[in-house]
Amino acid sequence: MAGIAELRKLRGSASKSVAPSERGDNKAALLFLGPWFVGLLLITVGPILASLFLSFTDYNLLQPPTWIGLENYERMIDDARLHQSLRVTFTYVFVSIPLQLALALALALFLDRGVRGLAFYRSVFYLPSLLGGSVAIALLWRQVFGTQGLVNQFLEVFGVEGKGWVSHPDTALGTLVILNVWTFGAPMVIFLAGLRQIPEMYYEAAQIDGAGKVRQFMAITLPLLTPIVFFNLVLQVIHAFQSFTQAFVVSGGSGGPVDSTLFYTLYLYQKGFGALDMGYASAMAWLLLAIVAGLTAINFVVSKYWVFYDD
């Protein structure tokens, strides 16, 4: 009991020893953080909760929402275009992300060899990541892969008759995959930073043992780089599921031809702002959140089998 009483005295003396200026600093910190908390509530948390509520309603932006329970989610079971949008989006993600990361890693390995003018090349290669999601690049892409585009002009040199790549259902999605692969700059810079953290002594020891470049890559570089690969994988998967601008511009907002570029986000936009079926669009948004969260969770669970850390 005496010990408890002594602790209480120490706590009381500590609280009394806090200078008024320090208490003023706390108030100043809360004052400066206030706008951020207001923005968090009004711009982030508020709309999230509102969309969750609207997903259980029939709402067309013109009349008050009407509670309908799980009907919006039940509609998804029989929505053929939603199923098509999921197929298109999953194909886009599972094809473009491995190709993008492979290209980013290959270029990072090339630049890590001490290329003269590294800062310049790093900036040039990073530029597509900044511009790839813009409307201007999507318009340029539609022209490049159009009937009279640069791709067909190049094929004509070899006597090959091209076609409208963005207007054919068999190749339209492929052009968007190429566009996403082209935006390899961000993961490349991260890979390059990871390569710079690998100790050189590992490679020196491998050379002494007679290991070649391929063996060094498989036994040293790739295992030590797996945390960076995992980081890039999670980020790029989330980003790919949110892709919208490319498909909207290339297809003219229709997702065509024959819904071959109907990304999930594009169909969500069509239902929410085209058909004014905002309740159903909100339910679709929460389904997308569940899909992305589920894939992210799977990545974290599976990562323990292939991601290696120094410790």
Side-chain angles (χ1 to χ4, degrees), residues 156-224:
E156 287 179 1
V157 176
F158 301 95
V160 179
E161 184 178 357
K163 58 182 179 180
W165 302 94
V166 296
S167 59
H168 197 282
D170 294 336
T171 56
L173 182 60
T175 62
L176 298 182
V177 169
I178 295 174
L179 176 56
N180 192 47
V181 173
W182 180 65
T183 60
F184 59 83
M188 184 209 67
V189 172
I190 298 174
F191 278 136
L192 187 58
L195 290 171
R196 294 300 175 88
Q197 301 302 315
I198 300 177
E200 190 65 28
M201 62 180 181
Y202 293 160
Y203 297 105
E204 295 174 354
Q207 290 176 356
I208 294 174
D209 292 338
K213 294 296 183 181
V214 176
R215 181 61 179 171
Q216 291 179 30
F217 173 77
M218 298 301 298
I220 299 174
T221 305
L222 193 56
L224 293 179

Side-chain angles (χ1 to χ4, degrees), residues 205-241:
Q207 290 176 356
I208 294 174
D209 292 338
K213 294 296 183 181
V214 176
R215 181 61 179 171
Q216 291 179 30
F217 173 77
M218 298 301 298
I220 299 174
T221 305
L222 193 56
L224 293 179
L225 209 61
T226 49
I228 308 298
V229 175
F230 173 68
F231 177 76
N232 275 329
L233 177 64
V234 172
L235 284 187
Q236 295 307 314
V237 166
I238 295 174
H239 181 265
F241 270 102

Side-chain angles (χ1 to χ4, degrees), residues 149-162:
L150 291 177
V151 173
N152 286 340
Q153 293 178 16
F154 175 77
L155 292 176
E156 287 179 1
V157 176
F158 301 95
V160 179
E161 184 178 357

Side-chain angles (χ1 to χ4, degrees), residues 9-301:
K9 291 180 180 179
L10 290 174
R11 183 183 301 174
S13 62
S15 61
K16 292 178 181 179
S17 63
V18 176
S21 60
E22 294 181 4
R23 291 195 293 268
D25 289 342
N26 294 335
K27 293 179 180 179
L30 292 175
L31 179 63
F32 281 105
L33 287 173
W36 183 86
F37 282 114
V38 172
L40 177 66
L41 293 174
L42 297 181
I43 301 177
T44 303
V45 177
I48 289 176
L49 296 178
S51 69
L52 179 61
F53 167 75
L54 291 176
S55 69
F56 298 101
T57 66
D58 180 14
Y59 181 48
N60 60 6
L61 294 177
L62 303 177
Q63 299 174 343
T66 303
W67 183 268
I68 58 174
L70 296 175
E71 288 187 17
N72 287 325
Y73 295 94
E74 294 172 352
R75 284 173 56 190
M76 296 181 184
I77 300 176
D78 300 322
D79 192 341
R81 293 199 76 203
L82 183 139
H83 301 161
Q84 171 65 10
S85 69
L86 287 174
R87 283 192 293 269
V88 170
T89 304
F90 273 98
T91 302
Y92 173 78
V93 171
F94 290 133
V95 173
S96 65
I97 297 305
L99 294 176
Q100 182 193 60
L101 295 184
L103 179 61
L105 179 56
L107 287 172
L109 289 169
F110 173 73
L111 294 178
D112 189 52
R113 299 177 61 181
V115 179
R116 182 175 299 178
L118 174 61
F120 171 76
Y121 286 110
R122 186 170 51 196
S123 300
V124 170
F125 287 144
Y126 184 73
L127 192 60
S129 291
L130 298 177
L131 302 177
S134 65
V135 175
I137 293 298
L139 289 171
L140 176 64
W141 215 254
R142 188 170 64 180
Q143 295 297 323
V144 168
F145 287 93
T147 306
Q148 303 297 327
L150 291 177
V151 173
N152 286 340
Q153 293 178 16
F154 175 77
L155 292 176
E156 287 179 1
V157 176
F158 301 95
V160 179
E161 184 178 357
K163 58 182 179 180
W165 302 94
V166 296
S167 59
H168 197 282
D170 294 336
T171 56
L173 182 60
T175 62
L176 298 182
V177 169
I178 295 174
L179 176 56
N180 192 47
V181 173
W182 180 65
T183 60
F184 59 83
M188 184 209 67
V189 172
I190 298 174
F191 278 136
L192 187 58
L195 290 171
R196 294 300 175 88
Q197 301 302 315
I198 300 177
E200 190 65 28
M201 62 180 181
Y202 293 160
Y203 297 105
E204 295 174 354
Q207 290 176 356
I208 294 174
D209 292 338
K213 294 296 183 181
V214 176
R215 181 61 179 171
Q216 291 179 30
F217 173 77
M218 298 301 298
I220 299 174
T221 305
L222 193 56
L224 293 179
L225 209 61
T226 49
I228 308 298
V229 175
F230 173 68
F231 177 76
N232 275 329
L233 177 64
V234 172
L235 284 187
Q236 295 307 314
V237 166
I238 295 174
H239 181 265
F241 270 102
Q242 296 174 341
S243 297
F244 168 79
T245 305
Q246 303 91 323
F248 181 85
V249 174
V250 169
S251 68
S254 65
V258 199
D259 287 346
S260 59
T261 60
L262 185 65
F263 284 5
Y264 188 88
T265 52
L266 178 55
Y267 185 51
L268 189 154
Y269 172 84
Q270 291 177 353
K271 297 299 290 185
F273 297 96
L276 295 183
D277 195 353
M278 193 59 67
Y280 189 63
S282 299
M284 288 181 61
W286 279 93
L287 176 61
L288 178 61
L289 174 64
I291 292 173
V292 173
L295 288 177
T296 304
I298 291 173
N299 279 328
F300 272 93
V301 171

